[in-house]
């Protein structure tokens, strides 16, 4: 099937074949093409060009009506498989409790683990698919989903099987991360080392035996897992070919960035607490620092120093952190607006961070994250807009008109 999109006001986010990520000053460059058409052959982008060039023949023609065409967002950090919601903790926070205090009282991640334990795999899948459809309609075409609300071998496997089922049924590209080290399970309170032992001896081999994850993650932060425990879990994960992605430096300067870099993590994520040493540790590495401004916004925390990182020559990715406790939203456009408003990233930097650099953070940059010949045809069309920047500026105006995933129109 050949699908032609015609009367495109502007194609945004064009990259040459082989461009894998954008770093430093390159992040502010966003290549565009005005008055254009784009052709998909099956699930891939086959051609695009200006309206002045001959427009190819196709089986189906879609009129973009002068709107813009953007590559889909690549959301490289979510926890969107979870049971129920946690708005009571939201109210507790309004009354003055901090995220750490809620966690110490047995709320937070352990609260979600209790609910997940009581929820069937079928019901978990149903709830998660609602969120997957929601983010697809908001322009996301690749998503990473973590386990980490199971905290027992059986429940971690249950979560990862749900993620596998989503991967098999949703039109988005899905990557799975094993996050058994999200919190110490209630049954192991005060016995953290034994819980780490359980992760290494039982959970990791079971996850690997079923091939349920590509990545391994650890919440390396004050009150959660130490640098030494993180290193041990990453070493064990490496035996099964699991690539590290770390929750680092959200609550404290935790050493999470350095331990991630030492283990060649694909990404280190959060980074609300960064010093010069952390930025230096990331320079010249393959690790993508990934910022989650939706979590800083929701928890009322300080934002990561994106400007200093980009000005130091680093690339950064943006992701939603979609989860019930610190970021109950998977809206990547809102994430881009927050990045511009609160972290002084330009709309171009934010969009590149949320697309190509997000794809890199998932190891999917060869097939996703930009408008490039041969890549998977994941994109969305907007209503006509005065400029590309308008998309980030008018942050709540419903501007996304139509969504295409794998060369087919997605209808929520
Ligand atoms: O990325 N920081 C750790 N984990 C999640 C929050 C999970 C939760 O509160 O349920 C995060 O913010
Ligand atoms: Fe997270």
């Amino acid at each position: 099937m050949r699908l032609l999109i015609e009367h495109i006001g502007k194609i945004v986010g064009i990259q040459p074949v082989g461009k894998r990520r954008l770093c430093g000053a390159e992040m502010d460059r966003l290549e565009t093409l005005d008055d254009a058409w784009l052709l998909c052959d099956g699930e891939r982008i086959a051609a695009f060009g200006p309206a002045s060039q001959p427009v190819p023949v196709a089986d189906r023609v879609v009129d973009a009506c002068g709107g813009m065409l953007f590559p889909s967002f690549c959301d490289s950090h979510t926890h969107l498989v979870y049971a129920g919601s946690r708005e009571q903790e939201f109210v507790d926070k309004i009354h003055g409790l901090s995220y750490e205090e809620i966690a110490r009282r047995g709320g937070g991640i352990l609260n979600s683990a209790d609910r997940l334990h009581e929820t069937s795999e079928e019901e978990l899948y149903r709830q998660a698919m609602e969120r997957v459809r929601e983010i697809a309609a908001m322009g996301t075409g690749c998503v990473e989903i973590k386990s980490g609300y199971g905290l027992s071998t059986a429940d971690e496997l249950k979560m990862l099987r749900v993620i596998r089922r989503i991967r098999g049924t949703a039109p988005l590209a899905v990557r799975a991360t094993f996050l058994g080290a999200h919190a110490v399970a209630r049954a192991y309170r005060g016995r953290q080392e034994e819980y780490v032992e359980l992760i290494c001896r039982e959970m990791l081999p079971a996850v690997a035996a079923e091939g349920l994850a590509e990545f391994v993650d650890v919440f390396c932060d004050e009150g959660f897992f130490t640098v030494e425990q993180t290193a041990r879990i990453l070493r064990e994960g490496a035996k099964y070919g699991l690539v590290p992605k770390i929750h680092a430096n959200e609550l404290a300067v935790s050493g999470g960035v350095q331990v991630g870099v030492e283990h060649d993590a694909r990404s280190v994520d959060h980074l609300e607490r960064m010093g010069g040493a952390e930025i230096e540790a990331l320079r010249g590495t393959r690790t993508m620092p990934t910022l989650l401004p939706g979590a800083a916004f929701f928890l009322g925390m300080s934002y990561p120093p994106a400007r200093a990182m980009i000005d130091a020559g680093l690339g950064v990715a943006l992701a939603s952190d979609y989860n019930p406790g610190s970021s109950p939203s998977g809206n990547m456009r809102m994430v881009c607006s927050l990045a511009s408003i609160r972290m002084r990233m330009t709309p171009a930097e934010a969009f590149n961070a949320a697309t190509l650099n997000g794809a890199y953070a998932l190891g999917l940059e060869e097939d996703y994250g930009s408008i490039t010949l041969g890549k998977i045809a994941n994109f969305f069309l907007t209503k006509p807009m005065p400029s590309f920047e308008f998309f980030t500026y008018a942050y709540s105006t419903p501007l996304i008109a139509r969504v295409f995933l794998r060369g087919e129109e997605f209808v929520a």
Side-chain angles (χ1 to χ4, degrees):
M1 232 278 286
R2 279 158 62 97
L3 167 73
L4 176 73
I5 315 287
E6 61 175 9
H7 305 135
I8 302 168
K10 192 190 281 293
I11 298 180
V12 179
I14 300 167
Q15 291 291 345
V17 174
K19 189 75 190 166
R20 299 186 58 209
R21 62 172 161 167
L22 297 162
C23 297
E26 295 182 307
M27 286 195 64
D28 200 26
R29 274 180 238 133
L30 197 63
E31 198 170 327
T32 60
L33 178 66
D34 287 348
D35 300 323
W37 51 265
L38 179 138
L39 180 74
C40 310
D41 194 352
E43 58 181 26
R44 297 204 177 248
I45 299 171
F48 53 88
S52 55
Q53 264 178 20
V55 177
V57 181
D59 307 300
R60 183 179 170 213
V61 179
V62 166
D63 186 351
C65 303
M68 296 191 191
L69 184 150
F70 289 74
S72 300
F73 294 115
C74 296
D75 190 350
S76 61
H77 181 139
T78 85
H79 311 246
L80 67 71
V81 172
Y82 58 84
S85 52
R86 306 216 309 259
E87 60 275 22
Q88 193 48 52
E89 292 173 13
F90 171 65
V91 177
D92 290 343
K93 271 187 239 113
I94 294 166
H95 289 309
L97 288 188
S98 71
Y99 185 75
E100 290 96 321
E101 282 162 343
I102 290 169
R104 272 200 296 275
R105 285 176 161 202
I109 295 165
L110 296 182
N111 183 355
S112 285
D114 292 342
R115 290 185 194 204
L116 185 128
H117 182 68
E118 287 150 16
T119 305
S120 70
E121 202 169 307
E122 187 61 33
E123 174 59 14
L124 258 188
Y125 170 76
R126 194 194 62 73
Q127 292 186 18
M129 276 304 279
E130 265 181 37
R131 299 179 196 119
V132 168
R133 279 190 290 271
E134 176 203 357
I135 63 170
M138 292 191 296
T140 295
C142 297
V143 66
E144 182 254 19
I145 312 175
K146 299 175 194 294
S147 70
Y149 293 123
L151 310 181
S152 69
T153 306
D155 287 343
E156 284 294 304
L157 291 176
K158 174 161 90 172
M159 281 190 85
L160 288 164
R161 289 185 192 125
V162 168
I163 299 170
R164 177 173 63 190
R165 190 165 161 204
I166 294 170
R167 186 200 291 239
T169 52
L172 298 84
V174 176
R175 284 290 172 272
T177 299
F178 167 63
L179 176 57
H182 197 190
V184 177
R186 218 184 272 290
Y188 282 78
R189 181 169 284 180
R191 296 188 293 138
Q192 178 145 0
E193 283 300 335
E194 283 174 55
Y195 184 65
V196 172
E197 188 70 19
L198 178 78
I199 290 173
C200 294
R201 294 283 155 261
E202 197 176 290
M203 291 190 192
L204 276 168
V207 169
E210 286 189 48
L212 288 170
E214 286 83 30
F215 299 103
V216 57
D217 193 345
V218 178
F219 191 3
C220 179
D221 227 317
E222 204 169 83
F224 288 84
F225 294 87
T226 66
V227 166
E228 293 70 30
Q229 291 166 337
T230 304
R232 176 164 180 222
I233 292 167
L234 300 187
R235 276 197 306 273
E236 286 299 319
K239 291 184 188 162
Y240 303 103
L242 297 181
V243 176
K245 283 173 84 65
I246 311 293
H247 275 77
N249 300 50
E250 176 183 2
L251 308 172
V253 181
S254 64
V257 168
Q258 284 85 348
V259 74
V261 166
E262 276 160 28
H263 291 82
D264 200 16
R266 190 68 186 195
S267 70
V268 288
D269 303 25
H270 268 291
L271 314 184
E272 284 84 358
R273 317 276 172 194
M274 290 282 279
E278 280 66 33
I279 293 180
E280 212 37 57
L282 283 159
R283 270 151 71 110
T285 71
R286 298 197 298 184
T287 302
M288 178 62 74
T290 298
L291 315 181
L292 316 167
F297 170 69
F298 189 79
L299 296 180
M301 298 192 316
S302 59
Y303 286 77
R307 201 59 276 143
M309 294 167 78
I310 296 171
D311 293 346
L314 298 182
V316 304
L318 286 169
S320 74
D321 201 14
Y322 197 172
N323 77 71
S326 67
S327 182
S329 164
N331 186 341
M332 286 294 283
R333 184 173 159 220
M334 178 72 187
V335 167
C336 288
S337 296
L338 280 174
S340 290
I341 297 163
R342 301 305 310 263
M343 301 196 295
R344 294 175 48 228
M345 287 173 69
T346 65
E349 287 172 335
F351 195 72
N352 282 324
T355 52
L356 186 61
N357 283 1
Y360 176 91
L362 292 178
L364 291 176
E365 71 278 10
E366 279 182 19
D367 279 321
Y368 298 91
S370 60
I371 301 302
T372 301
L373 291 182
K375 279 197 179 181
I376 297 289
N378 277 6
F379 55 83
F380 56 86
L381 301 175
T382 68
K383 294 176 188 164
M385 299 190 291
S387 64
F388 148 72
E389 288 85 354
F390 187 83
F391 190 63
T392 311
Y393 151 86
Y395 64 91
S396 75
T397 305
L399 291 168
I400 297 180
R402 299 172 83 162
V403 170
F404 293 81
L405 295 170
R406 312 196 81 84
E408 282 185 28
E409 184 151 18
F410 169 80
V411 184

